[in-house]
Amino acid sequence: SQTIHQWPATLVQPVGSPLSLECTVEGTSNPNLYWYRQAAGRGLQLLFYSVGIGQISSEVPQNLSASRPQDRQFILSSKKLLLSDSGFYLCALEVMETGTSYEQYFGPGTRLTVT
Amino acid sequence: AQKITQTQPGMFVQEKEAVTLDCTYDTSDPSYGLFWYKQPSSGEMIFLIYQGSYDQQNATEGRYSLNFQKARKSANLVISASQLGDSAMYFCAMREGLADTPLVFGKGTRLSVIA
């Protein structure tokens, strides 16, 4: 079965500092990978998704970027954090089977506080 | 326009009673999938149930069932015999098409089960 690792679990960073959140997956090959952000008490906002190595689609313009250097690794980055970047960041994977999919599996999340 | 609408920000239900969480969706794509996720206070996202647009019967998974009314574009989640552990945020989500498109989430409903 698939497993998703995210680190760090929690992070407190000052405004203007860089960011790197890592997501790695096990137990599957060639998954679709997603980064979501959830502000406190709010729903999930899709940030990026990737259907393969080096392939990144961005859903919203912002100061964040994503990269997929390896099949099972998905990285979320920022050069300069803003206060509004605070939130709960979730990585998710999805395994496509015969062209259809059923659920996305989510990682444990990273809680980011920008001060 | 919002693609997923959850009109109930919060719901209360007595333990052992059934509860319905509302979800309406908007799409012109004939092929789509509908999902429900549970998010307890720990933050993890737990997949509950899936309904495909071509599925003839309503999906069921244990105490969860999805009341799929295609003409009304609604996909309400029914939880039978509520338990205290059901207290959580519940998110409805949709995927348009069958492959390589991201899920779009609603804003969620907070369910509180009362003893």
Side-chain angles (χ1 to χ4, degrees):
Chain A
S1 64
Q2 301 91 344
T3 305
I4 306 173
H5 301 282
Q6 285 188 247
W7 62 86
T10 59
L11 190 60
V12 180
Q13 292 281 96
V15 168
S17 64
L19 173 74
S20 180
L21 301 182
E22 188 160 345
C23 170
T24 58
V25 304
E26 296 177 356
T28 184
S29 297
N30 196 31
N32 290 348
L33 296 174
Y34 301 81
W35 277 113
Y36 293 91
R37 177 171 61 200
Q38 185 178 28
R42 305 287 294 277
L44 274 71
Q45 177 188 31
L46 177 65
L47 302 176
F48 302 95
Y49 70 100
S50 171
V51 300
I53 296 173
Q55 300 178 62
I56 307 294
S57 296
S58 174
E59 287 296 301
V60 292
Q62 55 208 328
N63 67 319
L64 299 173
S65 62
S67 62
R68 187 168 176 179
Q70 300 179 46
D71 181 46
R72 301 175 192 181
Q73 185 183 32
F74 201 24
I75 298 171
L76 182 70
S77 304
S78 174
K79 292 182 179 179
K80 286 186 178 182
L81 284 169
L82 306 173
L83 285 174
S84 58
D85 291 325
S86 293
F88 190 52
Y89 288 80
L90 286 158
C91 178
L93 76 81
E94 174 180 86
V95 178
M96 308 304 293
E97 297 177 0
T98 63
T100 65
S101 66
Y102 295 93
E103 67 262 31
Q104 289 187 356
Y105 300 90
F106 283 82
T110 294
R111 197 165 301 279
L112 171 66
T113 303
V114 182
T115 60
Chain B
Q2 290 210 26
K3 290 194 176 278
I4 294 287
T5 303
Q6 295 181 252
T7 57
Q8 307 152 314
M11 290 279 289
F12 289 89
V13 64
Q14 201 75 32
E15 195 178 7
K16 299 180 184 178
E17 297 291 314
V19 63
T20 298
L21 306 183
D22 295 341
C23 173
T24 57
Y25 59 92
D26 182 26
T27 181
S28 57
D29 194 324
S31 299
Y32 54 89
L34 297 158
F35 304 75
W36 276 93
Y37 284 85
K38 172 185 178 181
Q39 187 180 41
S41 56
S42 58
E44 62 191 303
M45 292 286 286
I46 302 167
F47 166 76
L48 296 178
I49 198 166
Y50 167 83
Q51 180 87 41
S53 60
Y54 296 117
D55 293 344
Q56 295 296 316
Q57 296 195 346
N58 288 345
T60 60
E61 288 287 347
R63 293 186 299 112
Y64 304 108
S65 60
L66 199 152
N67 184 1
F68 182 45
Q69 298 189 41
K70 198 168 183 176
R72 295 185 179 181
K73 293 188 176 180
S74 75
N76 298 340
L77 177 70
V78 180
I79 305 175
S80 62
S82 297
Q83 302 172 357
L84 295 177
D86 293 334
S87 295
M89 282 290 289
Y90 288 81
F91 293 96
C92 180
M94 176 178 67
R95 157 174 291 113
E96 294 176 291
L98 291 178
D100 293 347
T101 56
L103 294 184
V104 176
F105 284 80
K107 294 185 177 181
T109 295
R110 181 170 296 282
L111 176 67
S112 299
V113 181
I114 305 167

